[in-house]
Amino acid sequence: MAVKMTLTDDELRAALESANLPTLQVVLARLTGDSGWLSGPYQPARTKALDDNDDAGLPSERQAEVRAAACDVLSRWRDGLVPEPPLPGETEIVELLTACMGEPVPAEYGAVMAEEAGFRPRDAKWTGAPPERAKDFSVLVIGAGISGICASIKLSALGIPHIVVEKNDRVGGTWLENDYPGAGVDTPSHLYSFSFDSNPSWSRYYAKQPEILEYLTGVAKRHGVTERTLFGTEVVSAVFHERTGRWEVTTCDRDGAEETRWANAVLSSVGQLNRPQMPSIPGQDTFPGASFHSARWNHDVSLTGKRVGVLGVGASAMQIVPSIAGTPEELVVYQRSPQWVAPNANYLRPVPEGARLLMEQVPAYAAWYRLRLLWMFNDKLHASLRKDPDWPHPERSVNAANDKHREFFTRYLREQLSGRDDLVDQTLPNYPPYGKRILMDNGWFSALKRDDVRLVTSAVDRIEGSDVVTADGEHHPLDVLVYATGFQSKRMLYPMDIRGRGGQSLRELWGDDDAHAYLGMTVPGFPNFFVLYGPNTNLGHGGSVMFHTECQVNYVTRLLVEMIERDIDTVECRADVHDDYNSRVDTAHEAMIWTHRGMNTWYRNKRGRVVTNTPWRLRDYWAMTHDPDLADFASSASEPGLEEKAS
């Protein structure tokens, strides 16, 4: 938490003009010991929707008083005249957040917030000195994306030997592979970072792909992950050997050379969004121009003066279209179903230099700003996505709060498309908001209004040479076709061949679209095999994948510590525990918006079961995963003296 201020008084005064006032008021109250800076005439107004509430809703004279007082106490703190306050406890955190958010924050969030801000430790620890056995316990991590990087860092901190196997030549996972024009995060940058290695220097409030990749690369280098990673190597199979309690993992390098590796435990960190989903369209192989998936963008193809088609209007397309509009001679966007789009004043906004300096140099400023985001973007929305059985308008929303979201988004859409009733009719969804992934306005409506952009809502029927032919019989001649068609999210861990006890195949158990695991991480019959960002762990109601990742890595590492300290060789999730958990998941989803009638999304499999999303609040999942219970597992010790042999 230690920071050092190098700003002069004038520089500090200038930087404070860019402060997020509610955050600054918390810092001011703690440094002065005066909670009055968050109450009475200085009480921040309630933070609404996705707005940062930078001015706290205060009149200009009150804002000036807050900044002046902050400048005074911070300059004295810089000069060693004011001590930094002790770390806040859970109760104080909740009280301060309640004050600066302008609304009640439940007491149950105190512990979560304390860990997220770094006010108290989260990591697994040995009860004493690391056992000698820890040096002989090996782990193989599959994938060097967000989850793999986090897992490697925490395993290394415990001194548990491991390697990371990565199919690409660099770390980054989805942020390495998705480098299409406009690619970026739709979670605030200051929340989309690890709690143990946050980045106070983001250049944008919603970072773009190059900066996110730079951040992940920097984290991996700082913590030695790159040194422990085998790049350009893919896991082909993993087979559990019951006699030894170890996994035989077969890898393949770029030259096709296979190698066998052994591990006590395997952590799959490949996630849900790593294998592109290509549609099957009659005649698509006859298209003579350049065609590629958005996640495999061909940067050698110039779009200048071309006729370009983008198939899809999901998250990737909504970033691509505004980014390339104006470059092609004509841009044709093919829409299967419209998406709800949320306005966000910060989405395209750079972080002012002054705000960045405050993040870097003011004690705990970045931590409190992160906690505000955590409350705004995590569980606040959850209740509005629960189906109210007595709600009289299920055709348009699932409850009263959800209906207010619908009215707000509809009003915004009509304002943005004023004068274009044709586009309003085409782009206004007929399903409840958040039934599908909500998308941030990246200039989407402005792009659609351009004369050189055309929205097509008739279904794509076939491709005849360079023409995309839609169901209404219209031919659309194109030079370039981009498939913004998502990922094989439900076909988890594909194409790896994972086999547990008795040679049981995980692919056969799950099929192509029905993955299930206890806490999204462990499966009966597959001892010491853990899935990060697995089934029912995707966040559909908000939040940051970083939070869920840290919950899962914390769970796995704490479990490994218990295993090693207790001389347990294998842990295998009990079938009754697994089945009960997944029954509760399915029951909970029946009350959530994603099972509402007409909600046919990539979240659900062909039987209608929600496979990808979590139904839980993030606080609930944090509690479920914080302290693993060995009673949930069958444990065993291997037969002594047995050695593995490559088969």
Side-chain angles (χ1 to χ4, degrees):
M1 300 298 295
V3 294
K4 181 179 180 180
M5 182 180 291
T6 60
L7 298 174
T8 66
D9 286 356
D10 287 343
E11 291 170 336
L12 175 59
R13 194 172 296 108
L16 289 170
E17 291 300 317
S18 299
N20 174 260
L21 226 60
T23 302
L24 184 64
Q25 288 173 266
V26 173
V27 174
L28 177 59
R30 297 208 75 236
L31 284 173
T32 61
D34 184 0
S35 61
W37 286 112
L38 283 161
S39 61
Y42 303 102
Q43 170 64 55
R46 178 176 177 270
T47 299
K48 297 179 181 179
L50 305 181
D51 188 79
D52 253 10
N53 196 23
D54 278 337
D55 62 9
L58 298 178
S60 57
E61 61 270 19
R62 296 298 184 199
Q63 295 180 44
E65 291 173 21
V66 170
R67 291 189 175 93
C71 186
D72 174 66
V73 73
L74 285 169
S75 63
R76 289 189 290 120
W77 169 81
R78 177 201 60 204
D79 297 338
L81 303 176
V82 174
E84 192 164 333
L87 296 179
E90 295 174 19
T91 300
E92 185 181 1
I93 291 171
V94 169
E95 290 174 348
L96 290 170
L97 278 177
T98 292
C100 77
M101 298 304 302
E103 64 182 11
V105 175
E108 63 181 325
Y109 283 88
V112 181
M113 298 293 188
E115 287 188 357
E116 273 296 293
F119 295 151
R120 83 174 195 191
R122 166 180 287 159
D123 295 348
K125 300 290 184 183
W126 302 108
T127 55
E132 283 297 314
R133 184 168 177 257
K135 300 175 183 178
D136 300 321
F137 192 97
S138 61
V139 178
L140 187 142
V141 179
I142 308 172
I146 289 172
S147 297
I149 291 171
C150 184
S152 178
I153 291 171
K154 299 308 178 183
L155 288 169
S156 179
L158 290 165
I160 297 177
H162 67 281
I163 63 167
V164 182
V165 178
E166 169 55 50
K167 62 183 174 62
N168 293 313
D169 293 327
R170 297 173 59 192
V171 302
T174 190
W175 292 110
L176 174 65
E177 296 177 0
N178 285 270
D179 62 351
Y180 56 79
V185 71
D186 57 8
T187 300
S189 305
H190 296 90
L191 197 56
Y192 201 85
S193 53
F194 295 117
S195 66
F196 56 85
D197 195 339
S198 60
N199 178 17
S201 304
W202 291 109
S203 69
R204 301 171 61 101
Y205 284 102
Y206 287 79
K208 292 302 182 182
Q209 179 267 342
E211 191 170 11
I212 300 167
L213 181 59
E214 181 183 13
Y215 165 73
L216 293 173
T217 301
V219 170
K221 287 182 178 178
R222 282 192 294 277
H223 296 273
V225 177
T226 51
E227 299 168 7
R228 299 186 290 270
T229 301
L230 192 63
F231 292 105
T233 304
E234 193 162 359
V235 170
V236 176
S237 65
V239 179
F240 181 71
H241 287 251
E242 297 184 42
R243 290 201 309 159
T244 62
R246 290 169 69 95
W247 284 88
E248 177 188 9
V249 182
T250 301
T251 61
C252 182
D253 65 19
R254 292 283 173 79
D255 297 325
E258 292 191 351
E259 186 171 347
T260 298
R261 305 172 191 280
W262 294 89
N264 294 89
V266 174
L267 274 65
S268 170
S269 302
V270 300
Q272 297 182 15
L273 308 177
N274 67 97
R275 299 284 175 176
Q277 174 70 51
M278 288 291 288
S280 179
I281 303 173
Q284 67 190 109
D285 292 339
T286 69
F287 186 74
S291 63
F292 44 85
H293 192 275
S294 58
R296 301 291 183 267
W297 193 274
N298 188 341
H299 292 276
D300 293 331
V301 175
S302 172
L303 305 182
T304 303
K306 302 287 182 64
R307 298 166 300 181
V308 178
V310 175
L311 192 61
V313 295
S316 298
M318 199 157 286
Q319 294 181 339
I320 292 169
V321 170
S323 299
I324 66 173
T327 300
E329 175 186 317
E330 181 184 32
L331 180 55
V332 185
V333 183
Y334 298 91
Q335 171 184 281
R336 184 169 61 178
S337 62
Q339 306 281 345
W340 284 108
V341 181
N344 188 319
N346 272 352
Y347 192 67
L348 297 175
R349 181 183 167 207
V351 178
E353 181 183 4
R356 179 181 56 78
L357 290 171
L358 297 179
M359 296 281 186
E360 293 172 346
Q361 299 196 29
V362 170
Y365 181 93
W368 288 107
Y369 182 75
R370 179 185 177 94
L371 293 188
R372 280 179 48 80
L373 294 176
L374 191 72
W375 176 245
M376 288 166 58
F377 285 84
N378 281 11
D379 289 343
K380 275 184 64 175
L381 188 66
H382 192 272
S384 70
L385 305 189
R386 294 180 58 84
K387 291 183 277 189
D388 178 357
D390 298 321
W391 177 243
H393 304 293
E395 76 284 356
R396 72 188 193 201
S397 49
V398 294
N399 56 43
N402 186 245
D403 202 49
K404 289 183 179 180
H405 290 311
R406 181 192 62 82
E407 291 175 353
F408 175 71
F409 294 146
T410 299
R411 185 165 57 250
Y412 177 72
L413 181 149
R414 292 186 181 279
E415 290 171 354
Q416 294 298 304
L417 296 177
S418 177
R420 290 294 305 271
D421 290 345
D422 58 323
L423 285 176
V424 171
D425 293 339
Q426 290 177 309
T427 58
L428 185 61
N430 61 359
Y431 56 86
Y434 297 95
K436 298 181 181 181
R437 179 179 176 181
I438 203 77
L439 302 176
M440 301 289 180
D441 187 4
N442 188 44
W444 174 251
F445 295 123
S446 298
L448 292 184
K449 290 192 296 184
R450 293 178 59 98
D451 293 338
D452 52 5
V453 175
R454 186 157 53 98
L455 182 67
V456 175
T457 58
S458 182
V460 172
D461 180 71
R462 64 190 185 278
I463 295 176
E464 293 182 358
S466 61
D467 289 2
V468 170
V469 185
T470 46
D472 58 6
E474 185 176 354
H475 286 241
H476 308 264
L478 298 174
D479 302 305
V480 179
L481 182 57
V482 178
Y483 292 93
T485 49
F487 299 86
Q488 300 180 49
S489 56
K490 295 180 287 294
R491 202 178 188 188
M492 296 186 190
L493 308 193
Y494 174 83
M496 295 184 293
D497 182 17
I498 311 296
R499 295 183 180 270
R501 288 194 185 277
Q504 181 182 26
S505 165
L506 190 61
R507 175 63 46 217
E508 293 175 4
L509 178 66
W510 283 356
D512 282 336
D513 69 351
D514 196 27
H516 41 80
Y518 176 51
L519 299 174
M521 289 185 278
T522 68
V523 183
F526 295 82
N528 293 12
F529 184 81
F530 305 97
V531 183
L532 305 180
Y533 195 15
N536 297 117
T537 62
N538 185 64
L539 297 172
H541 73 283
S544 169
V545 69
M546 300 289 196
F547 179 91
H548 250 208
T549 294
E550 291 192 44
C551 287
Q552 292 159 34
V553 170
N554 173 70
Y555 181 88
V556 173
T557 51
R558 285 180 184 245
L559 191 58
L560 293 178
V561 163
E562 284 208 62
M563 289 174 59
I564 294 170
E565 289 190 332
R566 298 190 185 191
D567 286 326
I568 296 171
D569 288 324
T570 65
V571 292
E572 177 183 349
C573 180
R574 288 168 34 199
D576 61 322
V577 171
H578 169 276
D579 294 348
D580 175 70
Y581 174 79
N582 281 278
S583 176
R584 288 189 288 116
V585 165
D586 293 344
T587 298
H589 267 307
E590 285 303 314
M592 298 299 293
I593 192 170
W594 304 297
T595 57
H596 189 63
R597 66 191 189 194
M599 289 293 91
N600 181 25
T601 73
W602 62 269
Y603 302 152
R604 304 174 72 179
N605 66 12
K606 57 180 176 290
R607 295 188 295 106
R609 177 176 173 263
V610 178
V611 177
T612 61
N613 281 17
T614 177
W616 316 122
R617 297 181 308 165
L618 274 77
R619 190 268 168 203
D620 297 332
Y621 189 74
W622 170 87
M624 292 176 190
T625 57
H626 197 272
D627 298 293
D629 187 351
L630 277 176
D632 293 338
F633 298 83
S635 58
S636 64
S638 63
E639 298 178 37
L642 291 176
E643 298 294 332
E644 308 89 348
K645 293 183 180 179
S647 55

